[in-house]
Amino acid sequence: MLTSVRAGARRLPRSASKLQVVRPMATASSVFQNEPPKPAVKTAIPGPRSKAALEKLEKIFDTRSMNFMVDYDKCDGNYIVDHDGNVLLDAFAQIASIPIGYNNPRLLEVADTPLMKSSIVNRPALGAFPSSEWAEILETGLLKAAPEGFNQVFTSMTGSDANELAFKAAFIWRRTQERKGADFTSEELSSVMKNEQPGAPNYSILSFQGGFHGRLFGSLSTTRSKAIHKLDIPAFDWPAAPFPQLKYPLEEHAAENAAEEERCLAETERLLSSWHNPVAALIVEPIQSEGGDNHASPAFFRRLRDITKAKGVLMIVDEVQTGVGATGRFWAHEHWGLASPPDMVTFSKKAQAAGFYYSDNALRPDKPYRQYNTWMGDPARALLFRGIYDEVTRLGLVERTAEVGRYLFGKLEALAAKYPGEIQNLRGKDRGTFIAFDSPRREHVLAAAKSNGLNIGASGDRAIRLRPMLVFEQGHADILLEILEKSIKQ
């Protein structure tokens, strides 16, 4: 039996294998002329063709985390089509990674350009042999979309990689400040080859309980969302501060939530001051996306920024899942109203490219080859991001996402009032379509939704998360709401 992806990895109940009849519904996309008008489920999921393909794949590739097999040539806009021809409204979007729809015509044009073809066929080792167009590609794409206060970017391969590189930048920055311009000592040069101090100092990165920052060694040490992510892997001795556990509705628990945030801030400040391995940087998600869609107020993050500046600790904001428009702002931390920007912002997923933004030249290592690998990113993905950014701005998709999110949240509030035992702790108000709620029967609801033609995901222990694309419109929201209610009642 197939399982859901990543945080939603759960076995589907047997009822999911029964064919569910989806009654006619209609919608229209203003972006995709040939997008299906509605979901259409013809077989069980997985169907016979998918089962046969999975059986073949299982012999050479681990398929236990797989959701369903996809025929990507047939996907269009907000709709994903599986190997048996089942058409589902996709509000999970490859774990929040498809920004502007499947087979977007503008991105297909980008893919067909000579520069893209050259970037794929002649992939450069960017640290040594970048193309003559690399500066322009960055300036007209990734840097054009940079958050306010950032003018440089270090490109990487994945979100985990982006966070690892940000950690390295923080450690090198810290030790360089301590050296005050002096060169490496002979003791440092010899001790580092034995993984010992002083060449390998015992610095640390502070993260938050419930956070997810990737699965590489450093990023995994800062990941605190699920034990299965971390088991059997050696980890660094790094601190974890509590992240606020807010009560909902927010307006009914203002005093309690303020006290909870104050408790978390006090403990964060204590850890920054007293942890036995000095903290070089703090990393935090605007919304803990894998740990259960946990939110905190803008005031919490403003205080967090004040504390890091007072303590001389760098602040890294992990926008891997929240970035590129889904919260109704291009970057989720723009909701906070910070007096000064974070030191680094990491990105990936919807950006398709990956890396981190920064502005302080001191975050560039003092010598070459200290932040270095063969690829150092991918020009093909940077070109794709440029096409994504151009379409997002041309169509006003961030503003539209904010508007659709308000509509969707309002309708979900009505559903929650109708089914209070099924939709609990609804959250994400005024955060675009980045919405979640707790479900005591989550696995049943996810399976029923899929059999009814809706692909949604899970996060944390109880949450159902919605991660539609930026081309998700009000008509799509109506379909989602109708299928969700049907699945709850089923």
Side-chain angles (χ1 to χ4, degrees):
M1 190 70 71
L2 289 179
T3 52
S4 301
V5 191
R6 198 185 257 184
R10 299 288 189 275
R11 291 202 175 275
L12 303 180
R14 290 187 179 184
S15 60
S17 65
K18 298 178 182 178
L19 176 61
Q20 303 293 331
V21 178
V22 179
R23 70 183 182 82
M25 294 175 286
T27 187
S29 170
S30 64
V31 179
F32 293 87
Q33 295 181 351
N34 298 317
E35 185 184 85
K38 62 183 184 297
V41 179
K42 304 181 296 184
T43 75
I45 299 175
R49 294 188 67 208
S50 292
K51 288 180 179 178
L54 279 166
E55 184 177 353
K56 178 181 178 181
L57 182 59
E58 174 61 32
K59 297 175 182 178
I60 56 173
F61 192 86
D62 187 356
T63 64
R64 288 172 296 175
S65 66
M66 292 187 185
N67 198 312
F68 52 84
M69 303 288 280
V70 181
D71 188 339
Y72 285 101
D73 288 338
K74 295 179 181 177
C75 299
D76 199 303
N78 291 277
Y79 285 87
I80 190 169
V81 181
D82 80 355
H83 194 44
D84 291 276
N86 296 307
V87 180
L88 292 84
L89 177 64
D90 193 359
F92 197 39
Q94 306 296 320
I95 319 174
S97 295
I98 299 294
I100 54 176
Y102 292 109
N103 289 302
N104 183 283
R106 173 58 188 138
L107 297 188
L108 292 175
E109 291 177 2
V110 171
D112 200 34
T113 59
L115 186 56
M116 176 66 86
K117 293 174 182 177
S118 176
S119 296
I120 295 171
V121 174
N122 307 305
R123 183 177 180 180
L126 287 169
F129 307 102
S131 73
S132 56
E133 297 95 350
W134 186 226
E136 183 184 359
I137 292 170
L138 293 176
E139 288 170 349
T140 57
L142 285 168
L143 286 171
K144 196 173 181 181
E148 185 177 354
F150 294 89
N151 57 16
Q152 300 183 60
V153 65
F154 195 104
T155 53
S156 65
M157 300 303 300
T158 67
S160 297
D161 185 27
N163 286 330
E164 294 268 334
L165 290 167
F167 298 167
K168 288 178 65 180
F171 293 144
I172 293 171
W173 169 85
R174 170 71 178 257
R175 192 70 182 109
T176 302
Q177 302 300 309
E178 292 174 346
R179 284 197 193 93
K180 299 179 179 179
D183 204 353
F184 309 122
T185 65
S186 59
E187 186 181 9
E188 286 177 316
L189 293 170
S190 61
S191 63
V192 75
M193 300 309 292
K194 300 179 231 178
N195 295 340
E196 296 175 353
Q197 297 189 69
N202 285 335
Y203 295 142
S204 64
I205 303 290
L206 182 144
S207 58
F208 288 86
Q209 295 165 10
F212 183 93
H213 302 289
R215 299 174 188 258
L216 299 177
F217 272 96
S219 55
L220 190 59
S221 286
T222 59
T223 287
R224 314 279 182 165
S225 52
K226 286 192 174 181
I228 196 66
H229 299 152
K230 299 168 68 71
L231 284 167
D232 301 332
I233 312 298
F236 294 111
D237 184 11
W238 293 355
F243 192 83
Q245 299 299 298
L246 303 184
K247 295 182 178 180
Y248 296 89
L250 294 175
E251 57 272 16
E252 296 179 13
H253 301 278
E256 296 166 88
N257 289 338
E260 168 67 357
E261 291 192 338
E262 188 60 39
R263 178 188 73 85
C264 294
L265 288 166
E267 179 61 8
T268 300
E269 190 165 12
R270 186 190 72 79
L271 288 169
L272 291 177
S273 300
S274 63
W275 192 255
H276 48 274
N277 294 326
V279 179
L282 169 157
I283 187 166
V284 66
E285 300 165 271
I287 301 167
Q288 289 188 330
S289 310
E290 297 292 334
D293 267 52
N294 304 315
H295 292 247
S297 72
F300 173 84
F301 292 105
R302 288 194 294 267
R303 284 279 307 281
L304 205 58
R305 183 56 178 143
D306 292 342
I307 291 170
T308 57
K309 289 179 75 70
K311 298 290 184 183
V313 171
L314 299 181
M315 183 178 185
I316 304 167
V317 176
D318 181 344
E319 289 256 27
V320 168
Q321 188 158 159
T322 55
V324 193
T327 68
R329 299 282 183 91
F330 201 90
W331 302 105
H333 74 270
E334 293 173 353
H335 288 284
W336 300 344
L338 295 179
S340 62
D343 296 287
M344 289 176 270
V345 172
T346 60
F347 61 90
S348 188
K349 284 191 177 283
K350 278 187 174 65
Q352 298 292 300
F356 70 86
Y357 292 110
Y358 66 104
S359 59
D360 186 353
N361 284 332
L363 290 173
R364 288 192 184 193
D366 54 341
K367 291 179 173 57
Y369 298 107
R370 303 193 70 191
Q371 284 271 48
Y372 187 83
N373 56 64
T374 299
W375 298 127
M376 294 182 68
D378 186 348
R381 292 293 156 183
L383 286 168
L384 194 63
F385 176 81
R386 184 169 70 179
I388 291 166
Y389 182 73
D390 288 347
E391 276 297 273
V392 168
T393 53
R394 182 180 73 85
L395 297 173
L397 294 182
V398 175
E399 295 79 10
R400 180 189 295 176
T401 296
E403 181 180 345
V404 172
R406 284 190 290 270
Y407 174 82
L408 178 58
F409 193 90
K411 294 292 186 179
L412 284 168
E413 282 184 313
L415 267 187
K418 189 174 181 181
Y419 304 101
E422 299 285 350
I423 298 177
Q424 302 172 354
N425 300 319
L426 178 65
R427 49 203 182 270
K429 187 174 184 179
D430 295 325
R431 291 299 180 268
T433 56
F434 213 95
I435 298 170
F437 57 88
D438 291 337
S439 170
R441 297 189 303 135
R442 181 175 73 179
E443 312 316 322
H444 165 80
V445 173
L446 291 175
K450 187 178 299 179
S451 66
N452 288 320
L454 173 64
N455 186 40
I456 49 180
S459 67
D461 296 325
R462 303 178 65 231
I464 290 177
R465 56 175 159 171
L466 308 182
R467 296 293 182 270
M469 309 168 202
L470 304 184
V471 291
F472 184 85
E473 302 183 41
Q474 185 172 317
H476 302 111
D478 289 334
I479 292 176
L480 183 152
L481 291 159
E482 185 169 352
I483 294 178
L484 180 60
E485 182 173 16
K486 178 179 179 180
S487 301
I488 287 172
K489 295 194 310 186
Q490 209 163 280

